[in-house]
Amino acid sequence: MKCSFTLTALLTTAHCLLPTAYALTLMKPLSTLLANLTMNNSNGSSTKECAGVERLAEANLPTEAGLFRIVAFKSRLDGEEFPVLVKGELDGETPTLVRIHSQCLTGDVFHSLKCDCGRQLDHAMKLIQEEGRGVIIYQQQEGRGIGITNKIRAYELQDAGQDTVEANLSLGFEADLRQYECCVDILKQLGLRRVRLMSNNPDKIAALAEAGFEVQRVPIEVESDERTADYLKTKKEKLGHMFGAGDLK
């Protein structure tokens, strides 16, 4: 079998040049290869070094909650894009409301009642509008990092009786694959040092504290019903999320 030495052909016919294991490694997408560079935390979430982010564009964004600035950041490592909403004048001395929001297409766009994500985002925007200052980083880590298609596969397993953590594990993923290192870089570029983090997730709090931010947690509580109660209970018991009694009614 004759092998071409153009890059495309080399990647698609690498088995004729290298042992199978190495050929398969070359065929993996960049995101998979980068995932191998991560280190897992005790609860299943991952951390990896962020090579930095670059600020690419900025514009006004009128919303139902009020007027924000929307800023585009991009990771220098893997090209992940981060839309960021900014309100008011930011500085390093004023404790500032911040939300690191993991993308949830089903909740944010389709208003799913399987989770509380979309309502948390809306609530965070309203709190920032009321205060006149704050930041929302919209992180594209759908399904705690597994992507929308695998998230729908996880939903199928949940329909059969598994909880949100069990479903991710059954698909071969860790319970939580999200990373926050690039979010840290974004907040530093925005000049923040003191953060009032709107989150129930201890991993997000720890990520900012370990990066040197002064962090105060602001609980982000939204109304729930029987359709989200089991989901919230699982996040509390298996992922360590912090909820008040009213969240788990």
Side-chain angles (χ1 to χ4, degrees), residues 44-242:
S45 64
S46 302
T47 59
K48 70 179 179 183
E49 190 67 25
C50 180
V53 294
E54 54 184 333
R55 187 169 179 161
L56 300 177
E58 182 174 347
N60 288 321
L61 185 70
T63 74
E64 292 179 352
L67 178 64
F68 290 79
R69 296 288 289 171
I70 186 166
V71 186
F73 288 88
K74 186 175 182 179
S75 167
R76 293 190 178 96
L77 178 64
D78 58 9
E80 182 180 353
E81 295 177 316
F82 296 83
V84 178
L85 295 185
V86 176
K87 183 82 176 181
E89 296 296 323
L90 306 180
D91 61 66
E93 296 304 315
T94 306
T96 301
L97 283 173
V98 169
R99 168 77 181 161
I100 297 175
H101 188 84
S102 298
Q103 174 180 300
C104 178
L105 177 71
T106 49
D108 300 342
V109 177
F110 300 134
H111 311 294
S112 166
L113 296 176
K114 289 178 70 69
C115 66
D116 57 345
C117 304
R119 285 166 287 167
Q120 284 187 332
L121 178 60
D122 291 343
H123 187 55
M125 292 178 68
K126 290 175 182 176
L127 288 179
I128 289 174
Q129 175 63 24
E130 290 172 2
E131 183 143 320
R133 181 198 309 266
V135 173
I136 296 176
I137 299 175
Y138 196 81
Q139 193 172 22
Q140 299 184 45
Q141 299 196 84
E142 184 81 44
R144 299 195 301 276
I146 66 175
I148 185 60
T149 299
N150 284 317
K151 179 179 177 179
I152 295 171
R153 291 184 177 121
Y155 277 180
E156 186 176 7
L157 294 174
Q158 291 173 44
D159 287 344
Q162 294 191 13
D163 64 37
T164 181
V165 170
E166 291 168 345
N168 280 30
L169 295 176
S170 292
L171 292 172
F173 300 104
E174 298 289 348
D176 192 338
L177 292 172
R178 290 174 292 181
Q179 300 109 20
Y180 306 108
E181 288 70 30
C182 287
C183 297
V184 164
D185 276 10
I186 290 170
L187 294 175
K188 288 180 177 179
Q189 283 201 32
L190 292 174
L192 297 183
R193 190 173 65 85
R194 296 177 175 174
V195 169
R196 295 166 58 213
L197 187 65
M198 296 178 283
S199 180
N200 303 320
N201 185 343
D203 281 354
K204 294 178 181 179
I205 298 167
L208 297 193
E210 290 169 6
F213 289 92
E214 182 180 306
V215 184
Q216 174 189 354
R217 175 182 171 245
V218 176
I220 185 157
E221 301 181 359
V222 296
E223 186 177 352
S224 65
D225 58 27
E226 67 277 2
R227 287 167 290 192
T228 55
D230 287 343
Y231 169 78
L232 297 177
K233 184 172 183 288
T234 298
K235 289 210 297 184
K236 179 177 182 178
E237 294 179 351
K238 295 189 175 182
L239 296 175
H241 287 209
M242 298 169 280

